[in-house]
Amino acid sequence: STNYGQYLATDLEEAVGEEADALRESISDLLVDAVTLTQELINNLKTVDEPTNEEQRELYTLMLNRGLILRLLGEVSEDGTFYLEQASSTLENLAGVAGDDSTHGLRAYMELGRVLVSMGDPCTAVDFFSFVVDRIMPRNYEDWDRVKEVASQAELDQRWLYVEMVVADLIGAAMICGNTDEAVGWGLHFYNMRQREGFELNALGNLGFLALARALDAGGWVGGRAADGGLAWYGTLEEASDAGHSKRNRQTAMDLALAVAQDVNR
């Protein structure tokens, strides 16, 4: 129900008139039943005195899906305030019981950020999104090197996938807030880490790169060597030059935006 609801919600973005009204009703009917079922299942699991690890994971997954369904309901409803507030409460509870650094806790913060954007508070959403990315793949390369010392390649690939899931939301929310520096900074962090580590780009990662291209469209300059994963954004050419980047290692933000978009297109 969650996946189908998301699929229909994507169609709703392009629908108008009677078609939009019919889609909105279909989504609402589908998700109201689903959100009711999640609460019943959550209540059943909460009655277990000594839950197994599997039952605990199932409970957390249900809470996460309930939050996502409530967010979708809030977004497709004419006045979705009630659903969005319920989504926020469910996800905050999930992060509290699962733990900030757990898989379900980090997923809860991703969804909380999306709820906040839907509630018209993208600047607070940036805090949630950036918390997730920095915990999974720190911008401080010394911290990241310490992660690599103890993590397997499979674990590193999983971290990359999680960053792909949230980076477009992070960049977009920062741009809505008018914080170009932060938006481009996180986008270049994503770009640099792929260059440094050679991670495979998935469909969600392409959306992240496109979000970076849109942020770079705001202007400015980029200094550093792309091949080394050491790119940084500067508001002016003088700032890039003062940072020690030679002429051959400087390019306009627009040039990089076009290159990134062409890479995604290929």
Side-chain angles (χ1 to χ4, degrees):
S1 294
T2 303
N3 292 337
Y4 190 47
Q6 289 177 303
Y7 171 77
L8 292 178
T10 301
D11 284 352
L12 182 60
E13 294 175 2
E14 301 179 359
V16 295
E18 293 182 357
E19 181 187 3
D21 292 338
L23 268 175
R24 191 173 287 108
E25 184 176 353
S26 295
I27 296 169
S28 181
D29 290 344
L30 173 72
L31 296 183
V32 165
D33 289 342
V35 81
T36 300
L37 178 58
T38 59
Q39 190 59 63
E40 293 174 359
L41 295 170
I42 287 169
N43 290 339
N44 288 340
L45 283 169
K46 284 184 175 180
T47 62
V48 178
D49 291 332
E50 296 182 7
T52 64
N53 289 337
E54 183 178 352
E55 288 171 329
Q56 200 70 56
R57 285 193 299 271
E58 186 177 354
L59 172 61
Y60 295 161
T61 300
L62 282 165
M63 293 175 70
L64 180 64
N65 281 325
R66 178 174 172 79
L68 194 157
I69 293 169
L70 286 164
R71 174 176 64 81
L72 288 174
L73 274 170
E75 290 173 348
V76 302
S77 301
E78 290 188 8
D79 182 8
T81 303
F82 171 77
Y83 290 124
L84 292 173
E85 289 176 347
Q86 288 294 304
S88 178
S89 176
T90 298
L91 294 165
E92 287 175 359
N93 289 337
L94 172 57
V97 297
D100 289 346
D101 289 325
S102 69
T103 298
H104 285 94
L106 292 169
R107 287 290 305 278
Y109 281 132
M110 288 185 200
E111 279 302 315
L112 268 171
R114 293 173 182 133
V115 170
L116 286 164
V117 171
S118 297
M119 295 177 77
D121 189 5
C123 298
T124 304
V126 170
D127 294 335
F128 283 95
F129 292 142
S130 59
F131 171 84
V132 171
V133 174
D134 210 35
R135 286 299 179 98
I136 296 173
M137 195 162 284
R139 288 181 73 172
N140 184 311
Y141 290 142
E142 291 182 1
D143 291 341
W144 173 244
D145 288 340
R146 282 192 285 271
V147 170
K148 291 199 298 181
E149 288 176 0
V150 298
S152 66
Q153 186 59 51
E155 291 169 337
L156 296 177
D157 290 340
Q158 186 68 24
R159 285 174 177 264
W160 172 252
L161 179 60
Y162 268 53
V163 173
E164 287 184 303
M165 291 171 62
V166 71
V167 69
D169 295 289
L170 171 53
I171 296 169
M175 289 299 293
I176 294 172
C177 289
N179 196 337
T180 302
D181 190 2
E182 187 167 15
V184 177
W186 284 110
L188 287 179
H189 172 54
F190 179 60
Y191 183 95
N192 287 335
M193 290 303 289
R194 182 167 186 248
Q195 294 295 112
R196 287 168 58 93
E197 306 296 341
F199 289 117
E200 181 179 349
L201 198 66
N202 299 295
L204 289 171
N206 282 325
L207 295 180
F209 270 178
L210 289 176
L212 168 61
R214 285 192 293 271
L216 288 166
D217 190 42
W221 288 76
V222 176
R225 284 171 47 83
D228 299 335
L231 296 183
W233 180 83
Y234 302 92
T236 66
L237 175 59
E238 289 73 18
E239 291 175 6
S241 178
D242 291 344
H245 298 295
S246 64
K247 185 175 181 179
R248 63 179 299 179
N249 288 331
R250 297 193 302 257
Q251 60 182 310
T252 67
M254 179 61 74
D255 285 340
L256 180 60
L258 288 170
V260 168
Q262 288 165 354
D263 284 344
V264 173
N265 189 49
R266 281 194 292 270

